[in-house]
C-alpha cells in the first residue's frame, strides 16, 4: 500500500508521523482538500479515533488512519483523558488547558500521569487499532518551547525535562505517538 492518508489537521502531529512513516506516501487532509471539522463526540479515545478515520474512509474511499491522544493524570482521577483537547472549555487553547492542569494540581504531590495514543487504521473497510503509552510526571511549571499541547508540562519517566525541551527526533524515540506509529509501520510493512 503506497498512499495512505493521516486524518489530522494538526501540523505538529503530521510532522512527527511523517518522520516515522518514511516508506509510505503520506497524504494529509490538505492533499484531499478537506478542511471540515470532524466532531469528536465519543467518550473514549478509541471511539474518537474511529470516528475520524471512518469519516474520511467513507467520504474518499482511501486507506487512512487517525490518532487520538489523551493525557491521564492519576490524582485527577484520569482527567483530562478523553477531554484533553477541550479541558478548559470548548474554545480553549493549549495554554488554557495547561493553566487549568497546573491550577488543579497546585499543592498536590502525586503528579503521575501518562499519555495514551490510539491509532485507528481503516483499509478496505477493515479496522485495526494500535496503542502507545508513555508514563511520566506533570511538572510544577512549564518548560521548553518545542512540541505542542501538554508537552511543556510533561516529563517522561527517566528524564528530567519536559517533552517541550526534547528535539522532535528525541520525542519520536519514546513518545506515546511514536510507539503506536511504529506498530502501525510494522503492520503496513507486512501488508500485501
Ligand atoms: P487530539 O488527539 O488531537 O484530540 O489531542 C487531544 C489533546 O491532547 C489536545 O489538547 C492536544 O494538544 C493534546 N496532545 C495530543 N498529542 C499530544 C502530544 O504528543 N503531546 C502533548 N499534547 C498532546
Amino acid at each position: 500500500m503506497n498512499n495512505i492518508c493521516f486524518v489530522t489537521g494538526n501540523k505538529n502531529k503530521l510532522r512527527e508521523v511523517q518522520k516515522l512513516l518514511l516508506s509510505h506516501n503520506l497524504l494529509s487532509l490538505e492533499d484531499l482538500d478537506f478542511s471540515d471539522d470532524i466532531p469528536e463526540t465519543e467518550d473514549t479515545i478509541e471511539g474518537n479515533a474511529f470516528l475520524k478515520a471512518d469519516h474520511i474512509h467513507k467520504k474518499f474511499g482511501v486507506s487512512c488512519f487517525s490518532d487520538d491522544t489523551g493525557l491521564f493524570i492519576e490524582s485527577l482521577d484520569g482527567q483530562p483523558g478523553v477531554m484533553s483537547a477541550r479541558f478548559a472549555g470548548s474554545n480553549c487553547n493549549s495554554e488554557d488547558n495547561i493553566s487549568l492542569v497546573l491550577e488543579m494540581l497546585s499543592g498536590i504531590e502525586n503528579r503521575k500521569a501518562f499519555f495514551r495514543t490510539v491509532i485507528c487504521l481503516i483499509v478496505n473497510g477493515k479496522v485495526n487499532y494500535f496503542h502507545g503509552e508513555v508514563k511520566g510526571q506533570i511538572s510544577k511549571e512549564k518548560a521548553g518551547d518545542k512540541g505542542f499541547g501538554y508537552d511543556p508540562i510533561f516529563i517522561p519517566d527517566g528524564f528530567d525535562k519536559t517533552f517541550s525541551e526534547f528535539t522532535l527526533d528525541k520525542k519520536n524515540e519514546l513518545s506515546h505517538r511514536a510507539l503506536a506509529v511504529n506498530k502501525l509501520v510494522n503492520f503496513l510493512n507486512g501488508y500485501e
Side-chain angles (χ1 to χ4, degrees):
M1 185 196 323
N2 290 321
N3 287 340
I4 185 158
C5 175
F6 181 21
V7 182
T8 185
N10 182 327
K11 292 218 164 18
N12 292 294
K13 284 188 182 180
L14 196 62
R15 209 172 302 129
E16 284 185 12
V17 170
Q18 218 141 32
K19 281 207 150 201
L20 295 162
L21 254 179
L22 290 176
S23 55
H24 297 268
N25 185 21
L26 195 61
L27 303 175
S28 67
L29 289 177
E30 217 173 326
D31 295 322
L32 298 180
D33 209 14
F34 181 90
S35 58
D36 297 356
D37 190 38
I38 306 171
E40 297 183 11
T41 50
E42 294 293 318
D43 57 9
T44 60
I45 56 176
E46 283 82 0
N48 283 328
F50 173 76
L51 269 187
K52 293 184 270 187
D54 185 54
H55 188 94
I56 295 303
H57 186 70
K58 285 198 174 124
K59 190 168 172 78
F60 296 99
V62 289
S63 300
C64 62
F65 66 93
S66 69
D67 107 331
D68 205 59
T69 295
L71 173 67
F72 297 79
I73 301 174
E74 191 170 280
S75 57
L76 301 182
D77 295 326
Q79 290 186 88
V82 70
M83 295 298 291
S84 291
R86 301 149 269 153
F87 193 41
S90 48
N91 291 319
C92 67
N93 59 26
S94 294
E95 288 293 307
D96 303 325
N97 287 332
I98 285 176
S99 299
L100 182 58
V101 165
L102 291 180
E103 191 186 311
M104 290 174 83
L105 287 181
S106 154
I108 294 180
E109 276 310 307
N110 176 5
R111 306 184 74 91
K112 281 187 201 157
F114 63 91
F115 272 118
R116 180 154 195 258
T117 287
V118 175
I119 288 178
C120 175
L121 168 75
I122 309 187
V123 180
N124 298 328
K126 201 165 179 308
V127 182
N128 289 278
Y129 291 94
F130 307 92
H131 298 82
E133 269 185 27
V134 63
K135 291 187 177 144
Q137 302 274 333
I138 302 299
S139 58
K140 296 237 156 95
E141 53 194 36
K142 289 192 292 183
D145 57 6
K146 293 184 272 296
F148 67 100
Y150 295 92
D151 281 346
I153 55 166
F154 185 83
I155 302 174
D157 282 352
F159 296 85
D160 58 5
K161 54 187 184 183
T162 70
F163 264 158
S164 272
E165 297 175 281
F166 282 54
T167 61
L168 179 54
D169 284 341
K170 190 71 193 168
K171 184 180 173 193
N172 263 349
E173 276 175 25
L174 65 137
S175 84
H176 42 294
R177 182 166 302 99
L179 291 169
V181 172
N182 287 335
K183 291 176 190 168
L184 169 74
V185 171
N186 286 340
F187 180 88
L188 291 175
N189 286 343
Y191 198 87
E192 184 41 45

